[in-house]
Amino acid sequence: MSDLLDELQKMWQVPAIAYLCEMLSHIPPDREWKAVPPVSVEELEEALMYCDDSVHPLLVRLHIQLLRGLWDVKRIDVGNWQAQLAKTVERFMPLCPVLRATEYRQLSMQEKVSVLHLLLEWRLCDHQELDLVQTITKDYEISSLRLQPIGEDDKGNKYWPPTQDWKKGNETTSTSHSR
């Protein structure tokens, strides 16, 4: 299990997925059926490492909500989300072999992470969704939007997604001075 966690923690998409889910969880009540549940990096890691003959309920819920928002339809549910996901991937990425001859639960962790990240990117390509995120975040300070650092080195320096500050430790270093 530790090897799986190590593999997940090397994927930059995992914290990005958690961050984007947090942004899309603030959907106004009139469009609540399209809201994506907020998820922590730890919850996402646990769901992706789930070893069973089924798909972890959190991943099912995330996919349903992302697909509902992408297609603007409420009727995507537990019974049909995998078929809708396969159609979505086929439509947006016709040359992608993922999900053509396999079920979602049989995908590798990297493929599951890639599919989730792509769904979020496709959702944000919709100008209404992007306008919504801009509206939600316009009054926030950048630092308040950070969910958590994306890494830490052996000296205790914490690494954040590139914004104002890249590295924070005992002293703050601006992006132009650190690499």
Side-chain angles (χ1 to χ4, degrees):
M1 197 67 122
S2 179
D3 291 341
L4 291 175
L5 185 58
D6 288 344
E7 182 183 341
L8 270 174
Q9 291 178 340
K10 291 177 183 173
M11 296 180 199
W12 63 267
Q13 297 98 328
V14 174
I17 290 167
Y19 179 80
L20 293 172
C21 285
E22 174 65 26
M23 292 294 101
L24 291 175
S25 71
H26 299 283
I27 302 276
D30 63 321
R31 294 173 47 191
E32 189 174 290
W33 59 275
K34 293 172 69 170
V36 175
V39 59
S40 71
V41 173
E42 292 81 13
E43 290 170 322
L44 189 55
E45 289 170 345
E46 180 182 323
L48 288 162
M49 290 188 305
Y50 186 69
C51 297
D52 196 355
D53 287 339
S54 60
V55 180
H56 192 280
L58 175 63
L59 293 179
V60 172
R61 199 164 134 226
L62 276 174
H63 285 87
I64 289 171
Q65 293 306 109
L66 287 169
L67 290 165
R68 282 180 175 176
L70 190 61
W71 293 105
D72 205 24
V73 293
K74 294 180 186 179
R75 64 181 180 272
I76 298 171
D77 58 30
V78 174
N80 65 7
W81 74 271
Q82 289 189 63
Q84 189 63 49
L85 179 61
K87 288 178 190 174
T88 302
V89 171
E90 178 70 27
R91 178 174 178 197
F92 287 100
M93 294 181 63
L95 301 177
C96 180
V98 174
L99 297 172
R100 285 224 177 109
T102 188
E103 292 183 33
Y104 181 85
R105 65 181 175 82
Q106 296 171 325
L107 295 177
S108 71
M109 254 191 332
Q110 178 63 50
E111 290 169 326
K112 289 177 184 176
V113 168
S114 294
V115 166
L116 267 173
H117 193 260
L118 283 170
L119 285 174
L120 282 158
E121 282 186 359
W122 292 333
R123 258 302 275 275
L124 292 173
C125 285
D126 177 359
H127 72 279
Q128 291 177 345
E129 295 294 317
L130 192 55
D131 288 347
L132 177 65
V133 170
Q134 289 173 342
T135 300
I136 291 167
T137 60
K138 74 178 179 185
D139 295 327
Y140 285 84
E141 290 294 320
I142 279 284
S143 60
S144 72
L145 297 175
R146 294 187 181 128
L147 297 177
Q148 57 185 265
I150 58 172
E152 186 173 331
D153 64 19
D154 58 346
K155 295 178 184 171
N157 293 312
K158 294 181 180 179
Y159 294 86
W160 301 86
T163 55
Q164 297 171 13
D165 299 321
W166 175 248
K167 183 173 90 170
K168 288 188 174 185
N170 296 333
E171 67 181 65
T172 302
T173 308
S174 70
T175 49
S176 61
H177 295 88
S178 65
R179 292 269 173 197

